[in-house]
Amino acid sequence: GENVEQHPSTLSVQEGDSAVIKCTYSDSASNYFPWYKQELGKRPQLIIDIRSNVGEKKDQRIAVTLNKTAKHFSLHITETQPEDSAVYFCAASIDDSGTYKYIFGTGTRLKVLA
Amino acid sequence: ETGVTQSPTHLIKTRGQQVTLRCSSQSGHNTVSWYQQALGQGPQFIFQYYREEENGRGNFPPRFSGLQFPNYSSELNVNALELDDSALYLCASSSGQGYETQYFGPGTRLLVL
């Protein structure tokens, strides 16, 4: 069935270090992959997304890479700051007979230690 | 912040009751998707509405139903509430039914006792 696996579930890094979160998806037809950041008690907020015709996308300290052959994509945060601490979710789009829905990963709790 | 709003912010119900949650989509968006997010989990797709019609649903029973209005706002109704329905309910709006970016509302936290 449709599935998105996300690792690690928790990640602690020192301020200034890099953080990498990895996701694997099951539906080879998926072609849109957003990443959301969710702070405690708040809504998920889109931080970056990538479509299947692109292998990498960067926005300042955040980058996403996509390997369609292996069906995995990764979020890279460089020069981490305490305000990067949050739960991060990856998602993959599924075209289910005309319904375009997202399957979310289980989340990664990132802690940036000052 | 997105222009997506939800009401109420919090709700407490007892088992067996019915609840209606509301979502106003961002201006220019005609698609609303509803998600259930249990504590410590990722959002789970409930269903999507596109131009007032249900456009597909996830693995949720029929007691979860919805509506979309001509102004593209939407309601999620849950009948015969169960304890496991306690969760954060998120709606997300987008500008089409394709692979468009979805913008989430702040959610409604439902507690079923």
Side-chain angles (χ1 to χ4, degrees), chain A residues 26-87:
Chain A
S26 59
D27 189 337
S28 57
S30 294
N31 63 12
Y32 176 62
F33 308 91
W35 285 88
Y36 287 87
K37 174 184 179 182
Q38 188 173 30
E39 297 178 59
L40 191 61
K42 296 194 175 181
R43 74 186 78 192
Q45 290 195 304
L46 180 75
I47 56 171
I48 196 167
D49 56 12
I50 192 167
R51 297 184 187 273
S52 61
N53 57 346
V54 175
E56 183 174 359
K57 184 176 178 181
K58 190 172 182 181
D59 183 3
Q60 299 184 335
R61 297 186 297 110
I62 296 173
V64 57
T65 58
L66 171 64
N67 182 329
K68 283 221 73 178
T69 303
K71 291 191 283 187
H72 66 70
F73 56 113
S74 300
L75 177 71
H76 304 253
I77 306 174
T78 59
E79 300 172 22
T80 53
Q81 300 167 3
E83 51 266 38
D84 294 330
S85 296
V87 179

Side-chain angles (χ1 to χ4, degrees), chain B residues 32-35 45-49 54 56-58 60 64-67 74-77:
Chain B
V32 173
S33 302
W34 285 92
Y35 292 85
F45 177 76
I46 302 175
F47 45 57
Q48 181 182 92
Y49 278 84
E54 187 181 289
R57 63 189 294 136
F60 282 80
F64 286 78
S65 63
L67 283 173
S74 178
E75 286 183 355
L76 164 65
N77 300 290

Side-chain angles (χ1 to χ4, degrees), chain B residues 7-29:
Chain B
S7 63
T9 54
H10 296 84
L11 206 50
I12 299 175
K13 291 285 188 178
T14 56
R15 198 169 44 182
Q17 285 189 310
Q18 178 266 342
V19 69
T20 297
L21 311 182
R22 294 178 176 83
C23 171
S24 291
S25 58
Q26 188 165 309
S27 177
H29 286 183

Side-chain angles (χ1 to χ4, degrees), chain A residues 29-32 36 38 41-46 49 51 89 93-107 109, chain B residues 1-4 33 35 37 40-45 48 55-58 88 90 97-106 109:
Chain A
S30 294
N31 63 12
Y32 176 62
Y36 287 87
Q38 188 173 30
K42 296 194 175 181
R43 74 186 78 192
Q45 290 195 304
L46 180 75
D49 56 12
R51 297 184 187 273
F89 291 99
S93 62
I94 302 290
D95 178 0
D96 182 7
S97 302
T99 295
Y100 300 89
K101 61 184 182 184
Y102 295 171
I103 305 298
F104 280 79
T106 49
R109 183 173 299 279
Chain B
E1 293 295 327
T2 70
V4 184
S33 302
Y35 292 85
Q37 186 177 24
Q41 300 294 317
Q44 299 287 316
F45 177 76
Q48 181 182 92
N55 191 39
R57 63 189 294 136
L88 179 68
L90 295 159
Q97 64 173 148
Y99 299 117
E100 303 294 336
T101 300
Q102 296 187 353
Y103 297 93
F104 283 91
R109 187 163 297 282

